[in-house]
């Protein structure tokens, strides 16, 4: 019962007109609109943007201010050994500079002399920075830059994922349409064969035709019925394949009902729906392609990583300086004579780890650059090939239309001659078989033409905005 409600709801959403009684027409643009809105992979593509945004938020967290507190106390047999409190507030900034304010208060009978502080505690304000490694780029800076590039990369990847699912859905629709047209071909010619069989039976009873002609006419009916049955199976299977792309609002898969039929007058809508209308070859801008954008942002991220690894070849020199005072409310109490400073130096003698990391970063960067160059050529040549296909299929459609028209003319002439007794049923069946083959070929050429448009849509990686 629940599935029936979904099927009914789904059917009512489509624009219907009287193609046949009680039938609904599934328009191509409506179909792709439902795919883009409700298909799980299309929804999954939207998650890539959220992943990129979350990754950027995580990277920005490296620059969040921090509060640190450390408290330790020891008391044994009535003696307070020590009571130490240290609180620090840190503000990381872009170029490896960290601003810091801190408060220390120590009490106890067994404190080191260096830990002896005023009774009300000691306040400090200072700065720490890196003069070598981490001076012009550090882990925090690199992570944030790469996160920004990754966020832009996810936008391009989202467009590629949506484009791919719409491309696959388009191919399923075109195959469904071809199966329907083929089925209608055999259905119409079965009706013609049955009408011809009834006419020949009457003529045979009247003695105008030989009785053996009825056997030949009946064989023609049986052949058409067999071909129609096979076409019906193909149509039902293509309908099931199309159903793979139909989903409801609450992630419930929908089944295409038998009374839902394709739009047979499709050519005028394909270019508009896929947003490839009026796109001549010279209007194609390679730099705007989402695949190249995605690879470009990947290269930008690897370039940042290479700069970071290069910076790690420098020695690690960290300096820190803190003003000290007992009265932080008085600005003139912060004097240079009262301070706490620190200098640290570190440099591995052989730098093998750092040089190895840099070499790997360069290799990854070069690999991505080669991938970008190859993709650029592949996309350009693929688009050129598809434009050649489209131009050829336009000519093929004209030729196959003329062929079908001529076969119809020959069949009509043969039927007229047969009515005058100047032809045979064998010749009519032969002419009709040729016509059927030509019409099926016409459907196939049309299908390939539509698929070539879909391939252009995929090669351009369009994410339609009007769906």
């Amino acid at each position: 019962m629940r599935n029936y409600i979904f099927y009914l709801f789904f059917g009512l959403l489509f624009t219907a007109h009287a193609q046949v009684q009680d039938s609904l027409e599934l328009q191509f643009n409506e179909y792709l609109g439902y795919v883009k809105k409700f298909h799980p992979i299309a929804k999954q593509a939207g998650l890539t943007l959220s992943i990129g945004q979350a990754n950027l938020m995580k990277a920005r967290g490296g620059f969040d201010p921090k509060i640190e507190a450390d408290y330790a106390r020891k008391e044994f047999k009535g003696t307070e050994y020590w009571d130490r409190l240290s609180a620090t507030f840190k503000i990381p900034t872009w170029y490896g500079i960290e601003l810091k304010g801190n408060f220390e208060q120590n009490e106890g009978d067994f404190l080191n002399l260096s830990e002896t502080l005023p009774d009300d505690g000691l306040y400090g304000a200072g700065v720490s920075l890196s003069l070598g490694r981490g001076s012009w780029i550090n882990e925090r800076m690199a992570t944030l830059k790469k996160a920004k590039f990754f966020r832009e990369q996810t936008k391009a990847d989202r467009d590629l994922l949506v484009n791919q699912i719409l491309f696959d859905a388009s191919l399923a629709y075109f195959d469904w349409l071809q199966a329907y047209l083929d089925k209608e071909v055999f259905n119409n010619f079965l009706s013609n064969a049955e009408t011809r069989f009834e006419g020949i039976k009457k003529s045979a009873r009247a003695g105008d035709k030989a009785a053996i002609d009825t056997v030949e006419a009946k064989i023609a009916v049986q052949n058409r019925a067999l071909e129609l049955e096979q076409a019906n199976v193909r149509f039902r299977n293509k309908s099931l394949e199309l159903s793979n792309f139909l989903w409801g609002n609450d992630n419930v898969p929908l089944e295409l009902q038998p009374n839902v039929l394709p739009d047979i007058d499709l050519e005028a809508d394909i270019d508009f729906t896929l947003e490839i209308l009026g796109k001549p070859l010279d209007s194609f801008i390679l730099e705007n392609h989402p695949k190249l954008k995605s690879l470009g942002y990947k290269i930008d991220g690897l370039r940042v990583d290479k700069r970071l690894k290069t910076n790690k070849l420098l020695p690690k020199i960290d300096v820190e300086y803190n003003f000290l005072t007992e009265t932080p409310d008085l600005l003139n109490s912060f004097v240079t004579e009262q301070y706490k400073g620190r200098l640290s130096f570190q440099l591995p003698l052989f730098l093998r780890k750092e040089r190895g990391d840099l070499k790997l970063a360069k290799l990854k960067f070069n690999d991505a650059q080669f991938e970008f160059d190859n993709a650029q050529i592949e996309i350009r040549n693929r688009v050129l090939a598809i434009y050649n296909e489209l131009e050829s299929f336009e000519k093929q459609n004209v030729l196959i239309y003329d062929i079908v028209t001529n076969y119809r003319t020959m069949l009509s002439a043969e039927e007229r001659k047969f009515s005058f007794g100047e032809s045979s049923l064998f010749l009519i069946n032969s002419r009709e078989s040729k016509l059927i083959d030509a019409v099926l070929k016409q459907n196939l050429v049309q299908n390939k033409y539509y698929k070539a448009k879909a391939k252009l849509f995929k090669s351009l990686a369009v994410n339609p905005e009007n769906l």
Side-chain angles (χ1 to χ4, degrees), residues 133 311-317 345-355:
R133 182 185 304 179
N311 181 259
K312 287 188 176 181
L313 295 176
L314 299 175
K316 187 176 181 180
I317 306 172
F345 176 86
Q346 179 183 339
L347 178 64
L349 294 180
F350 300 113
L351 292 172
R352 284 182 288 195
K353 179 180 181 301
E354 289 75 10
R355 288 188 288 117

Side-chain angles (χ1 to χ4, degrees), residues 88-156:
T88 305
F89 178 68
K90 298 179 180 179
I91 304 178
T93 61
W94 184 250
Y95 286 104
I97 300 173
E98 189 173 70
L99 304 178
K100 182 166 62 174
N102 64 290
F103 171 74
E104 293 179 281
Q105 189 175 40
N106 298 331
E107 298 176 354
D109 298 332
F110 294 94
L111 290 174
N112 295 326
L113 290 177
S114 62
E115 295 179 308
T116 303
L117 301 175
D119 293 340
D120 293 333
L122 186 65
Y123 296 86
V127 61
S128 62
L129 68 153
S130 299
L131 298 179
R133 182 185 304 179
S135 56
W136 47 277
I137 187 170
N138 54 43
E139 295 284 353
R140 284 197 301 256
M141 294 166 58
T143 301
L144 182 56
K145 285 184 176 181
K146 289 191 291 185
K148 289 180 178 179
F149 290 134
F150 180 71
R151 180 186 59 179
E152 298 303 316
Q153 184 181 349
T154 58
K155 294 179 182 178

Side-chain angles (χ1 to χ4, degrees), residues 296-339:
Y297 290 123
K298 178 183 176 181
I299 290 172
D300 289 337
L302 291 173
R303 183 180 289 109
V304 171
D305 197 53
K306 188 175 71 169
R307 288 180 59 199
L308 177 64
K309 297 299 190 294
T310 302
N311 181 259
K312 287 188 176 181
L313 295 176
L314 299 175
K316 187 176 181 180
I317 306 172
D318 295 332
V319 296
E320 181 179 345
Y321 183 89
N322 293 278
F323 294 100
L324 300 177
T325 182
E326 298 179 67
T327 55
D329 52 331
L330 301 176
L331 291 178
N332 59 4
S333 65
F334 289 96
V335 293
T336 57
E337 290 80 6
Q338 299 177 156
Y339 69 92

Side-chain angles (χ1 to χ4, degrees), residues 188-208:
N188 292 334
F189 280 100
L190 174 60
S191 299
N192 292 344
E194 288 174 340
T195 301
R196 190 182 304 120
F197 174 58
E198 293 300 326
I200 290 176
K201 276 202 306 184
K202 291 179 181 178
S203 298
R205 289 170 185 166
D208 295 335

Side-chain angles (χ1 to χ4, degrees), residues 50 77 86 130 160 202 231 242 246 289 298 365 401 429:
S50 300
K77 293 183 179 182
S86 175
S130 299
L160 291 172
K202 291 179 181 178
L242 189 77
L246 297 175
H289 196 281
K298 178 183 176 181
F365 178 81
Y401 177 82
N429 289 336

